[in-house]
């Protein structure tokens, strides 16, 4: 059991209300680690509400817009807010400098295309606070991943290609090719990369993620 106060340490009030109001069937298992999912779902609802993401089914569109309105107790925001995937903010939070953290985050988000020239710094700071709490409480210290000589060669090859490739789709394809060239099952190679980069067996589409977080940061982790 955990309380709403714990939820508010890692997610917004509205994401918690979404949990309460979202329709579901039967019982539902819930854990603190579900909070990022609800934060991202809230972002999606806002995109739909403001017409930034299309939903073809009119009934579904009506229900999703209505859900968004109720999440804000029928007083929804008049304009869209900053949209930052939770995992992107977590990755940035893990590499924060000691000083000028907000400035660092704003520059990274602009670099990744999540912010325009001007941004609501208070809003970004609030999301950063959730991510910093998450990293502090749930992300383990860096650990050395034991790898085989084949895997080491494949990672070196990947580092070289990350430095050269400038296209997300080509990067995704190249990771598959590198695995096969080194007689490694692509699924095993992806799992290894996710463990090194994200401390997880799975994660977002890797070709895109490398560009989202920044080539330099990914290369550091792989090295």
């Amino acid at each position: 059991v955990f309380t709403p106060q714990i939820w508010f340490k890692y997610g917004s009030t509205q994401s918690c209300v979404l949990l309460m109001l979202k329709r579901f069937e039967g019982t539902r298992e819930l854990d603190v680690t579900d909070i990022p999912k609800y934060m991202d779902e809230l972002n999606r609802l806002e995109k739909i509400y403001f017409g930034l993401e299309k939903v073809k089914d009119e009934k579904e569109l009506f229900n999703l817009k209505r859900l968004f309105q109720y999440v804000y107790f029928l007083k929804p925001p008049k304009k869209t807010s900053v949209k930052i995937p939770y995992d992107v903010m977590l990755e940035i939070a893990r590499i924060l400098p000691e000083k000028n953290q907000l400035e660092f985050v704003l520059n990274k988000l602009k670099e990744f295309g999540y912010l325009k020239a001007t941004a609501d710094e208070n809003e970004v700071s609030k999301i950063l606070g959730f991510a910093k709490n998450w990293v502090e409480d749930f992300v383990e210290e860096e650990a050395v991943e034991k790898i085989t000589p084949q895997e080491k060669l494949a990672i070196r090859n990947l580092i070289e290609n990350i430095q050269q490739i400038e296209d997300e789709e080509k990067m995704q394809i190249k990771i598959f090719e590198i695995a096969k060239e080194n007689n490694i099952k692509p699924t095993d190679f992806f799992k290894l990369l996710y463990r090194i980069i994200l401390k997880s067996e799975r994660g977002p589409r890797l070709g895109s993620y490398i560009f989202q977080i920044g080539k330099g940061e990914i290369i550091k982790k792989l090295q």
Side-chain angles (χ1 to χ4, degrees), residues 28-209:
R28 176 172 46 178
E29 291 186 5
L30 184 70
D31 188 83
V32 179
T33 56
D34 290 314
I35 295 174
K37 178 181 69 176
Y38 282 90
M39 288 287 285
D40 287 340
E41 188 171 349
L42 183 64
N43 280 343
R44 179 173 181 265
L45 282 178
E46 187 171 316
K47 286 181 181 179
I48 292 170
Y49 184 79
F50 286 102
L52 301 176
E53 182 175 324
K54 303 299 180 183
V55 176
K56 293 182 179 179
D57 187 282
E58 290 186 7
K59 184 178 180 180
E60 182 185 3
L61 177 61
F62 175 84
N63 288 334
L64 292 175
K65 282 188 171 183
R66 197 63 173 157
L67 177 59
F68 182 74
Q69 290 175 328
Y70 272 100
V71 162
Y72 282 91
F73 305 113
L74 298 180
K75 294 181 180 180
K78 295 182 179 180
K79 61 180 181 179
T80 185
S81 58
V82 176
K83 297 289 170 295
I84 308 167
Y86 204 95
D87 62 345
V88 171
M89 189 59 95
L90 285 178
E91 195 61 31
I92 296 174
R94 293 177 63 176
I95 58 172
L96 286 175
E98 291 186 11
K99 298 180 179 180
N100 302 319
Q101 292 186 348
L102 183 58
E103 181 182 353
F104 175 84
V105 172
L106 291 170
N107 288 334
K108 277 290 181 183
L109 291 173
K110 288 174 185 176
E111 180 185 330
F112 301 157
Y114 290 105
L115 291 183
K116 297 179 181 178
T118 58
D120 186 336
E121 294 187 6
N122 290 331
E123 194 172 350
V124 174
S125 179
K126 186 176 180 180
I127 301 170
L128 174 61
F130 295 144
K132 287 173 67 175
N133 288 338
W134 183 277
V135 169
E136 183 178 341
D137 294 347
F138 297 112
V139 176
E140 297 178 358
E141 292 296 321
E142 295 288 333
V144 176
E145 178 76 28
K146 293 183 179 179
I147 59 176
T148 66
Q150 278 180 313
E151 291 169 337
K152 184 180 290 187
L153 190 62
I155 290 173
R156 284 178 177 167
N157 193 346
L158 177 58
I159 290 172
E160 292 175 3
N161 280 276
I162 288 175
Q163 292 169 334
Q164 298 171 7
I165 295 175
E166 297 296 336
D167 180 83
E168 294 180 3
E169 190 60 34
K170 288 181 180 178
M171 183 74 74
Q172 186 76 11
I173 294 170
K174 192 62 183 177
I175 297 172
F176 277 98
E177 292 176 350
I178 290 172
K180 292 177 180 178
E181 288 167 2
N182 289 276
N183 297 317
I184 303 170
K185 289 183 180 179
T187 53
D188 291 341
F189 191 46
F190 273 94
K191 283 182 181 179
L192 172 65
L193 295 176
Y194 284 129
R195 289 199 304 273
I196 293 171
I197 296 169
L198 294 171
K199 301 286 183 286
S200 173
E201 289 286 325
R202 61 183 186 273
R205 185 175 171 82
L206 206 51
S208 303
Y209 189 71

